Amino acid sequence: MNGATHELMNARQSGADHSTVSEREDVQARSRWLRRLLTWHWISSALALFGMLLFAFTGITLNHAGQIPATPVVETVEARLPSDLVELLSARAEASPADLPDDLRRWLADEGIGLGNAQPEWSDYELYVSLPRPGGDAWLSVDFESGELLYESTDRGWISYLNDLHKGRNTGTAWSWFIDLFAVLCIVFCLTGLGVLYLHARERISVWPITGLGVMVPLLLAILLVH
């Protein structure tokens, strides 16, 4: 009888020890995952910090664009090209090259006009160059018959500039890549945050109700009030 009792006690002790080991392993695994998630969470948040502030701020300015006063500043330049440049441009019109002559770029640079990577539009009687940019736009035309050059630049202010950065409007390839990479960082930031919430949910009963509220509010607004 004593032997049977002893075996039963040993079995119970073995089961308890196995349960303790299993719980310890579970705690260690959760601790490892928590450290990894927190590491990726703070790295992604640090890299995305300025971008998130910029896009959050411009989200407000875009939502109230009609209520924010803006006075466009228009600059106009009228000039007459040298005859040799006019002849050069007229001769090139038929071929419609994608690049502008360096002589024309140098002449315009002396006048304070930069064309960057603008694509020219050629016709038999005129050269036209559209120069869109964030926060404004510009254009330039050259009449082959008279040699008259007309340049007009419009600046709509820094709020418009930031809004165009938000939309990726006329911002070029580099900024387009930045927006994509920034979006990936935000996804990493959100998913690692969700993982941290999951690991803390046992100790904080309000985690999932608050998370659910964050999901349901925009979802219901979109379904019920957005038309």
Side-chain angles (χ1 to χ4, degrees):
M1 184 67 177
N2 289 337
T5 302
H6 184 68
E7 290 180 2
L8 180 60
M9 291 179 63
N10 287 338
R12 289 179 177 176
Q13 182 64 36
S14 177
D17 291 343
H18 183 271
S19 177
T20 301
V21 171
S22 178
E23 290 178 359
R24 187 182 301 113
E25 290 177 349
D26 182 59
V27 170
Q28 291 174 348
R30 290 180 70 251
S31 180
R32 285 195 301 269
W33 273 107
L34 183 59
R35 287 196 299 271
R36 291 170 185 169
L37 289 171
L38 286 174
T39 298
W40 282 103
H41 191 64
W42 81 256
I43 291 174
S44 60
S45 66
L47 291 173
L49 174 62
F50 180 76
M52 292 183 72
L53 290 173
L54 172 64
F55 279 87
F57 175 76
T58 51
I60 297 173
T61 57
L62 280 169
N63 199 38
H64 298 276
Q67 302 167 2
I68 299 175
T71 304
V73 177
V74 180
E75 176 190 0
T76 303
V77 176
E78 296 183 27
R80 186 178 296 273
L81 283 178
S83 58
D84 58 335
L85 270 180
V86 176
E87 292 175 3
L88 175 63
L89 295 175
S90 181
R92 288 192 169 208
E94 186 175 350
S96 299
D99 295 326
L100 292 167
D102 291 336
D103 291 344
L104 175 63
R105 289 182 178 274
R106 283 193 290 268
W107 190 90
L108 291 172
D110 292 339
E111 297 293 320
I113 300 173
L115 298 182
N117 297 321
Q119 298 295 313
E121 299 176 24
W122 302 86
S123 69
D124 293 336
Y125 57 89
E126 183 186 44
L127 165 67
Y128 180 82
V129 183
S130 179
L131 302 164
R133 63 176 184 271
D137 56 73
W139 57 271
L140 177 145
S141 68
V142 177
D143 189 303
F144 296 153
E145 294 183 0
S146 64
E148 291 184 355
L149 177 144
L150 181 60
Y151 171 79
E152 184 176 284
S153 173
T154 303
D155 186 349
R156 299 187 178 89
W158 67 274
I159 290 291
S160 178
Y161 175 81
L162 293 178
N163 287 345
D164 284 346
L165 290 183
H166 184 111
K167 295 182 288 186
R169 177 179 178 269
N170 301 320
T171 53
T173 303
W175 186 259
S176 178
W177 274 102
F178 168 76
I179 291 177
D180 289 341
L181 293 174
F182 170 72
V184 172
L185 284 174
C186 287
I187 292 173
V188 173
F189 175 71
C190 291
L191 291 180
T192 53
L194 182 63
V196 172
L197 288 176
Y198 173 79
L199 294 177
H200 283 306
R202 295 181 182 180
E203 295 84 19
R204 302 174 184 175
I205 60 174
S206 61
V207 164
W208 295 127
I210 295 177
T211 304
L213 183 65
V215 173
M216 293 304 297
V217 168
L219 186 62
L220 291 175
L221 287 175
I223 294 173
L224 300 177
L225 301 177
V226 176
H227 303 287

